[in-house]
Amino acid sequence: ERTLCPCLVVPEGMELVFAVRDLLTRLRQQISFSVVDLEGTPLSHVIVNEVGQGERCGILLRMLDQTPLAWVRTGVIHEEGGLPEICFPSGEVFCVVGREDAVPTG
Protein backbone atom coordinates (compact mmCIF):
# COMPACT_ATOMS: atom_id res chain seq x y z
CA GLU A 1 0.00 0.00 0.00
CA ARG A 2 1.33 3.41 -0.96
CA THR A 3 1.40 6.21 1.60
CA LEU A 4 1.44 9.85 0.57
CA CYS A 5 3.30 11.16 3.64
CA PRO A 6 4.87 8.31 5.65
CA CYS A 7 6.08 10.75 8.33
CA LEU A 8 2.45 11.68 9.08
CA VAL A 9 1.08 8.17 9.52
CA VAL A 10 -0.68 8.01 12.89
CA PRO A 11 -0.25 4.73 14.82
CA GLU A 12 -3.37 2.60 15.19
CA GLY A 13 -5.39 3.57 18.25
CA MET A 14 -4.07 7.14 18.25
CA GLU A 15 -5.33 10.28 16.56
CA LEU A 16 -3.88 13.50 15.20
CA VAL A 17 -5.97 16.57 15.95
CA PHE A 18 -5.20 19.74 14.01
CA ALA A 19 -6.80 22.95 12.77
CA VAL A 20 -6.85 24.44 9.29
CA ARG A 21 -7.90 28.06 8.80
CA ASP A 22 -11.00 28.52 6.70
CA LEU A 23 -9.35 30.67 4.02
CA LEU A 24 -9.75 28.80 0.77
CA THR A 25 -12.43 29.78 -1.72
CA ARG A 26 -13.48 28.61 -5.19
CA LEU A 27 -11.72 31.58 -6.80
CA ARG A 28 -8.05 31.56 -7.82
CA GLN A 29 -5.95 32.53 -4.83
CA GLN A 30 -2.44 33.27 -3.68
CA ILE A 31 -2.16 32.79 0.08
CA SER A 32 -0.15 30.86 2.66
CA PHE A 33 -0.91 29.69 6.19
CA SER A 34 0.06 27.09 8.77
CA VAL A 35 -1.78 23.97 9.84
CA VAL A 36 -1.69 24.10 13.65
CA ASP A 37 -2.37 21.91 16.65
CA LEU A 38 -5.17 22.88 19.03
CA GLU A 39 -2.76 25.08 21.01
CA GLY A 40 -1.86 27.06 17.87
CA THR A 41 1.60 25.52 17.37
CA PRO A 42 2.40 25.16 13.64
CA LEU A 43 2.60 21.58 12.33
CA SER A 44 3.07 22.26 8.61
CA HIS A 45 2.78 25.02 6.02
CA VAL A 46 0.34 25.42 3.14
CA ILE A 47 1.22 27.58 0.13
CA VAL A 48 -1.61 28.23 -2.33
CA ASN A 49 -0.59 29.64 -5.71
CA GLU A 50 -3.34 29.52 -8.28
CA VAL A 51 -2.29 32.48 -10.40
CA GLY A 52 -0.39 30.18 -12.78
CA GLN A 53 -1.77 27.86 -15.44
CA GLY A 54 -1.87 24.07 -15.75
CA GLU A 55 0.39 22.06 -13.46
CA ARG A 56 1.89 25.18 -11.86
CA CYS A 57 -1.50 26.04 -10.38
CA GLY A 58 -2.02 24.44 -7.01
CA ILE A 59 -1.41 23.95 -3.31
CA LEU A 60 1.94 22.93 -1.83
CA LEU A 61 2.09 21.32 1.61
CA ARG A 62 5.43 21.50 3.45
CA MET A 63 6.89 20.36 6.74
CA LEU A 64 8.14 23.08 9.10
CA ASP A 65 11.68 22.53 7.78
CA GLN A 66 10.34 23.26 4.24
CA THR A 67 10.49 19.60 3.13
CA PRO A 68 7.68 19.12 0.57
CA LEU A 69 4.88 16.77 1.69
CA ALA A 70 2.46 16.89 -1.21
CA TRP A 71 1.25 18.93 -4.16
CA VAL A 72 -2.41 19.42 -5.03
CA ARG A 73 -2.99 20.37 -8.68
CA THR A 74 -5.96 22.72 -8.81
CA GLY A 75 -5.61 24.10 -12.33
CA VAL A 76 -8.12 21.59 -13.67
CA ILE A 77 -10.75 23.02 -11.30
CA HIS A 78 -10.38 26.51 -12.74
CA GLU A 79 -9.73 25.59 -16.37
CA GLU A 80 -11.99 22.58 -16.98
CA GLY A 81 -14.28 22.29 -13.97
CA GLY A 82 -12.59 19.00 -13.07
CA LEU A 83 -11.38 17.58 -9.77
CA PRO A 84 -7.97 18.19 -8.18
CA GLU A 85 -5.12 15.66 -8.20
CA ILE A 86 -3.14 15.00 -5.02
CA CYS A 87 0.49 14.30 -5.91
CA PHE A 88 3.69 13.14 -4.30
CA PRO A 89 6.34 15.92 -4.08
CA SER A 90 7.83 14.43 -7.27
CA GLY A 91 4.64 15.32 -9.16
CA GLU A 92 3.51 11.69 -9.54
CA VAL A 93 -0.25 11.45 -8.96
CA PHE A 94 -1.24 9.76 -5.69
CA CYS A 95 -5.01 10.08 -6.17
CA VAL A 96 -7.76 12.24 -7.62
CA VAL A 97 -10.24 13.88 -5.30
CA GLY A 98 -13.72 12.48 -5.86
CA ARG A 99 -17.10 14.10 -5.49
CA GLU A 100 -19.92 12.31 -3.73
CA ASP A 101 -23.50 13.32 -4.35
CA ALA A 102 -25.57 13.97 -1.26
CA VAL A 103 -27.95 11.17 -0.36
CA PRO A 104 -31.50 12.42 0.23
CA THR A 105 -32.80 11.75 3.73
CA GLY A 106 -36.33 11.37 4.85
Side-chain angles (χ1 to χ4, degrees):
E1 180 177 317
R2 295 179 356 159
T3 302
L4 181 61
C5 303
C7 63
L8 296 180
V9 173
V10 177
E12 189 171 331
M14 304 208 50
E15 63 183 10
L16 172 65
V17 180
F18 60 91
V20 178
R21 294 177 65 192
D22 187 13
L23 295 173
L24 301 179
T25 68
R26 292 178 180 233
L27 303 174
R28 288 183 183 266
Q29 302 176 89
Q30 190 166 17
I31 190 169
S32 62
F33 57 92
S34 294
V35 174
V36 299
D37 66 16
L38 296 183
E39 296 173 357
T41 305
L43 300 172
S44 62
H45 298 297
V46 178
I47 299 99
V48 180
N49 186 356
E50 296 179 309
V51 296
Q53 297 292 320
E55 292 190 13
R56 291 187 305 233
C57 180
I59 302 169
L60 176 62
L61 289 85
R62 288 186 175 166
M63 298 284 291
L64 295 178
D65 67 1
Q66 302 303 311
T67 302
L69 288 170
W71 173 253
V72 182
R73 292 183 189 144
T74 60
V76 68
I77 296 170
H78 302 293
E79 296 163 16
E80 304 168 21
L83 298 171
E85 296 175 323
I86 299 176
C87 303
F88 290 98
S90 66
E92 177 189 358
V93 175
F94 175 74
C95 66
V96 176
V97 174
R99 182 175 293 151
E100 216 174 89
D101 293 328
V103 177
T105 59

